[in-house]
Amino acid sequence: MSNQLQSFFKTVSVNLSSERIQLCFPTTQFCSSSRLWFSSGRFEDRFKMLGNGLSDGCEVVVADPQLLDDKISAIRTAGPTKLQVIADFDATLTRYWVNGRRGTTIGSHGLLRQGNPEYDKKRRDLYYHYHPLEFSPTIPIDEKTKLMEEWWGKTHALLIEGGLTCDAIKQSVADSIIAFREGVAELFELLEEKDIPILIFSAGLADIIEEVLRQKFHKSFKNVKIVSNRMVFNESGHLVAFKGKTIHSLNKNEHALEMAAPLHDQLGDVDGPTYDNSSVKTRTNVLLLGDHLGDLGMSDGLNYETRISVGFLNDNIENSLDNYRNAFDIVYLNDAPMSGVVKLVSQLWSSDGV
């Protein structure tokens, strides 16, 4: 491992599934209480989850430190003008656990309360019907994609029919159990300073993501685009339609860029640079942030040269770590803060590697 990786990783070698890997512990001050327990025997015995999965530590797995080092060097050589960040929203930018409870998600419109209990129930019923189908291992992807289009279409129709309002969105966000990971604001500010675009992908609703950002950060970020379903409201503030094609859980990738709109346009802040879709396409180096293996597909449609993928494995770690560490370049465990990613990003244009 190079000096630039050693500057923010301590490493411990362990055997996992008959392979030797590196468990890397960030040295950043945010991760001072990192904990990972081992004992002899099988992996299930060596790795122990802490309590309900909520941890204030930053345990990190890097399966191939040399490959990661090579990718960092390639991105640094190309410079910030070639870099973009692609991020999932739920449980990636936001925390998986909030005050000991599962945080609210927006991907399946779970956060939204439209002020009409009858229609809220109808949307919940759709969730209970379609959600198991979304993760069924026996349904072919083409058929599953049609089911997701069907689910999202019915849900959007209920939101219109039930009279969703702008005020209901604001209240739903205010009442929700949702929080950003520590360090997300710092990451956004760092990327904004370097004019590096951030594409936030979500199968939920762009208007809700914008309201969450507004209420939690109380500011806009000029480099942020939301790639999600966007609503159309009439003069009285009632939902009347949705723009463009539907973005659901199986098609949230750069093919959906025509749905993206700069965040500051929605907040009325017109100063500073903007990023049109064509300029994003020229940024061929990618830092991808996600919490599911499927999030790796968010960069589909982009002919990238170098991609560093960061996975947040928040729960079910014993059963999922092997798949995650084989899929992502870096895997953060136990609902880690974003501070390690901030440190990584600073490496991507630093001239001295610190």
Side-chain angles (χ1 to χ4, degrees), residues 222-253:
K222 300 177 179 65
N223 57 329
V224 173
K225 280 190 175 185
I226 310 297
V227 185
S228 188
N229 299 291
R230 188 167 295 281
M231 301 185 228
V232 178
F233 294 90
N234 62 20
E235 294 181 356
S236 63
H238 285 80
L239 175 65
V240 294
F242 285 83
K243 291 183 179 179
K245 69 176 184 179
T246 300
I247 298 176
H248 53 75
S249 58
L250 298 184
N251 71 348
K252 56 174 190 177
N253 53 50

Side-chain angles (χ1 to χ4, degrees), residues 71 115 142 160-161 170 177 214 301 313:
K71 290 183 176 183
D142 289 346
I160 296 172
E161 185 181 342
K170 295 177 182 179
I177 304 172
R214 183 183 293 109
L313 180 50

